[in-house]
Amino acid sequence: MLDENHHLIQCIMDYQSKGKTAECTQYQQILHMNLVYLATIADSNQNMQSLLPAVSLPVMWFLGACNRADQLVHQSMSQNRHDKK
């Protein structure tokens, strides 16, 4: 949708530079609908974040440690496969 909005803005600018403001209206309406849609999504995501409980630092540390341990296991397994070849 961001690429589409970029294209719409380019079309609007092109028509405006050519003095064809009437042609801009259709593109401006589509761009407006897209921006309202994106704002609605962003707003709903913001509202969802406020409903979720905050993650405490110990939980964040634990999740980070688990992720790091998982990475080390995968690295070790990859190294073992490489050594066997």
Side-chain angles (χ1 to χ4, degrees):
M1 180 168 284
L2 297 177
D3 289 335
E4 179 183 350
N5 288 348
H6 179 263
H7 177 70
L8 290 167
I9 291 169
Q10 290 297 320
C11 289
I12 292 166
M13 289 173 40
D14 289 344
Y15 280 125
Q16 285 177 340
S17 69
K18 295 174 184 173
K20 298 181 177 183
T21 55
E23 286 84 352
C24 293
T25 305
Q26 178 185 5
Y27 293 105
Q28 288 170 334
Q29 288 173 344
I30 296 168
L31 178 61
H32 180 263
M33 287 188 310
N34 288 353
L35 293 174
V36 168
Y37 174 74
L38 290 172
T40 303
I41 291 172
D43 191 41
S44 68
N45 285 340
Q46 184 89 21
N47 290 338
M48 289 300 288
Q49 289 297 324
S50 67
L51 295 174
L52 296 174
V55 176
S56 66
L57 286 177
V59 172
M60 289 173 53
W61 178 87
F62 175 75
L63 293 174
C66 288
N67 187 30
R68 181 67 181 136
D70 189 44
Q71 289 174 350
L72 292 172
V73 167
H74 286 294
Q75 284 176 351
S76 175
M77 290 172 64
S78 295
Q79 184 64 35
N80 287 341
R81 280 191 221 125
H82 179 70
D83 291 343
K84 289 180 181 178
K85 289 182 180 181

